[in-house]
Amino acid sequence: MDIGTLRGLGTLLVLIATLGVICWAYSGKRKASFDEAANLPFADDERNESRSNRA
């Protein structure tokens, strides 16, 4: 096994990993989780506003 074969296998492994991440990220099953995560910064602001209103 020479260096060219190892590089080819490494490239194939990275390609498979990249395609796996893309499939995971664009999966419809993950949409609700990603929408919730996208709103987390705003949820933190709402908690801070309610605390300052109590004081």
Side-chain angles (χ1 to χ4, degrees):
M1 191 181 291
D2 63 341
I3 191 70
T5 304
L6 288 176
R7 287 180 180 169
L9 290 174
T11 301
L12 182 63
L13 181 66
V14 170
L15 175 67
I16 291 170
T18 302
L19 291 175
V21 169
I22 289 171
C23 289
W24 173 79
Y26 286 99
S27 170
K29 296 176 185 176
R30 304 287 305 164
K31 182 169 176 33
S33 176
F34 287 147
D35 287 341
E36 181 182 344
N39 288 322
L40 281 176
F42 303 115
D44 189 38
D45 290 341
E46 290 171 4
R47 276 191 246 144
N48 288 338
E49 287 176 7
S50 66
R51 287 181 185 165
S52 61
N53 288 341
R54 289 184 204 164

